């Protein structure tokens, strides 16, 4: 048992050293983070090691900040392929952070890290509620290249839209984990009620995010789900009229379908008589 633990510690230290190398390429960082995520899925000790010091948490948040909401690399502001690669790496980083948050509520080292690095935690919140920027299509003036260019543009546009959807789901999952951190109320911000109120007011700038979080609460938190159903069911019935909402969101808008689907799912979860974990 001791030997296995020593091996995991050695593996974690090696991965950490590789991440902190100067002049690392994004591709190399992505490979190392993926290896770290897979290892942490198999062995809880890596989660514990992750929170033991704050440097890796800060490194990952700072790395996200390099690419979100927009890239610091000017080439990526125009290059859709390069931007797609950045989004893939960001998704992997956020998934890894989400993994490190899950099932580590009782780890004192996690609480210490988040309490001492509140600024980094708030930066992470800002990143997660900001919409990732993607390059706009550039005009092509060479007639011979127009047809091929259009096909390539459509291909990259479809890939970027798919990545944005995946990014949104991943970011919401991490936001939910952070909401649970605030629910604990041990970050030196005052009472639990105050910290949750602070976070929800912080998220008011992005209503769709609120509904994604609400959906997660209804799906995965029995206590919050029962509270919402018992105390706010009538408010949901009164204030959310799907026919009126659908009239205000024309079908030609790309956001219409996912937004109406999200509202339908939340309403269905609120109307459920019994809590069901998916």
């Amino acid at each position: 048992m001791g030997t296995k633990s020593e091996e995991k510690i050695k593996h974690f230290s090696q991965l950490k050293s590789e991440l902190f190398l100067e002049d690392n390429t994004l591709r190399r960082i992505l490979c190392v983070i993926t290896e770290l995520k897979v290892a942490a899925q198999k062995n809880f000790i890596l989660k514990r090691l992750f929170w033991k010091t704050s440097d890796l948490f800060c490194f990952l948040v700072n790395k996200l900040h390099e690419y979100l909401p927009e890239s610091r690399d000017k080439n990526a502001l125009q290059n859709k392929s390069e931007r797609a690669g950045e989004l893939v790496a960001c998704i992997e980083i956020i998934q890894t952070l989400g993994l490190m948050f899950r099932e580590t509520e009782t780890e004192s080292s996690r609480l210490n890290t988040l309490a001492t690095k509140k600024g980094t935690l708030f930066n992470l919140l800002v990143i997660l509620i900001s919409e990732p920027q993607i390059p706009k299509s550039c005009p092509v003036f060479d007639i011979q290249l127009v047809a091929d260019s259009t096909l390539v543009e459509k291909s990259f546009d479809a890939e970027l839209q798919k990545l944005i959807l995946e990014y949104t789901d991943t970011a919401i999952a991490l936001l939910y984990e952070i909401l649970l951190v605030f629910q604990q109320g041990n970050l030196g911000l005052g009472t639990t009620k105050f910290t949750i109120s602070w976070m929800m007011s912080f998220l008011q700038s992005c209503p769709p995010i609120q509904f994604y979080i609400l959906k997660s609460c209804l799906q995965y938190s029995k206590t919050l789900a029962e509270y919402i159903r018992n105390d706010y069911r009538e408010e949901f019935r009164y204030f959310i009229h799907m026919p009126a909402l659908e009239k205000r969101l024309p079908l030609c808008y790309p956001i219409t379908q996912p937004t109406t689907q999200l509202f339908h799912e939340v309403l269905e979860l609120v109307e459920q008589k019994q809590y069901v974990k998916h």
Side-chain angles (χ1 to χ4, degrees):
M1 182 71 178
T3 305
K4 285 185 178 180
S5 295
E6 289 173 8
E7 288 176 359
K8 300 307 173 190
I9 293 171
K10 185 177 179 180
H11 185 206
F12 179 80
S13 299
Q14 178 188 341
L15 293 174
K16 196 171 171 180
S17 298
E18 290 179 24
L19 280 175
F20 290 166
L21 287 174
E22 291 186 14
D23 301 322
N24 246 346
T25 64
L26 184 59
R27 183 183 296 273
R28 179 58 192 154
I29 289 172
L30 174 59
C31 290
V32 178
I33 288 173
T34 300
E35 188 176 346
L36 173 63
K37 185 181 79 171
V38 172
Q41 286 172 333
K42 296 177 180 178
N43 297 280
F44 185 83
I45 190 173
L46 272 81
K47 292 186 179 184
R48 189 168 287 162
L49 291 169
F50 176 88
W51 291 112
K52 196 169 185 180
T53 59
S54 62
D55 51 357
L56 191 48
F57 172 65
C58 293
F59 173 83
L60 293 181
V61 175
N62 290 335
K63 189 57 62 177
L64 284 175
H65 191 52
E66 287 184 29
Y67 305 109
L68 296 170
E70 65 180 15
S71 178
R72 294 182 188 176
D73 184 348
K74 292 183 179 179
N75 291 328
L77 296 176
Q78 302 297 330
N79 189 318
K80 293 185 178 182
S81 176
E82 191 171 330
R83 185 55 172 159
E86 290 180 351
L87 289 175
V88 168
C90 289
I91 289 168
E92 193 72 10
I93 292 172
I94 293 172
Q95 287 178 347
T96 302
L97 285 169
L99 178 66
M100 297 305 178
F101 270 93
R102 278 192 293 278
E103 300 175 350
T104 55
E105 297 87 354
T106 59
E107 293 295 317
S108 58
S109 57
R110 189 188 87 163
L111 179 60
N112 292 336
T113 291
L114 295 177
T116 56
K117 296 294 179 181
K118 286 193 285 286
T120 303
L121 181 61
F122 295 159
N123 287 341
L124 178 58
L125 274 174
V126 173
I127 291 169
L128 293 175
I129 67 170
S130 301
E131 182 180 358
Q133 301 300 303
I134 57 176
K136 295 179 180 178
S137 298
C138 300
V140 178
F141 298 105
D142 188 329
I143 295 175
Q144 293 179 345
L145 296 177
V146 169
D148 290 341
S149 175
T150 301
L151 288 174
V152 171
E153 285 283 332
K154 286 183 178 179
S155 175
F156 279 129
D157 286 342
E159 182 184 358
L160 284 169
Q161 289 302 322
K162 183 178 178 182
L163 286 171
I164 291 293
L165 288 174
E166 185 179 355
Y167 170 84
T168 301
D169 287 342
T170 307
I172 295 304
L174 180 53
L175 270 171
Y176 176 68
E177 295 297 331
I178 296 174
L179 175 62
L180 296 181
V181 171
F182 278 83
Q183 190 178 10
Q184 287 180 305
N186 295 322
L187 294 178
L189 292 173
T191 64
T192 302
K193 184 177 180 181
F194 171 78
T195 54
I196 294 178
S197 298
W198 180 90
M199 182 175 179
M200 295 315 294
S201 63
F202 183 84
L203 294 171
Q204 279 181 356
S205 59
C206 191
I209 294 289
Q210 294 178 12
F211 265 81
Y212 272 110
I213 292 178
L214 180 59
K215 178 184 169 184
S216 295
C217 291
L218 288 164
Q219 285 179 314
Y220 302 114
S221 174
K222 183 175 181 179
T223 303
L224 285 172
E226 289 178 349
Y227 175 74
I228 290 167
R229 290 189 185 109
N230 291 336
D231 291 41
Y232 293 100
R233 190 192 301 266
E234 292 303 319
E235 281 80 354
F236 275 91
R237 289 175 178 168
Y238 183 78
F239 288 109
I240 301 179
H241 297 278
M242 290 308 301
L245 176 67
E246 289 165 355
K247 283 182 181 178
R248 294 179 64 181
L249 290 172
L251 289 174
C252 59
Y253 291 174
I255 197 174
T256 297
Q257 196 275 331
T259 301
T260 53
Q261 182 180 338
L262 174 62
F263 275 69
H264 273 298
E265 290 172 353
V266 168
L267 286 174
E268 286 176 6
L269 288 167
V270 169
E271 290 295 331
Q272 281 182 10
K273 301 292 184 183
Q274 192 174 3
Y275 166 80
V276 179
K277 185 171 182 177
H278 295 270

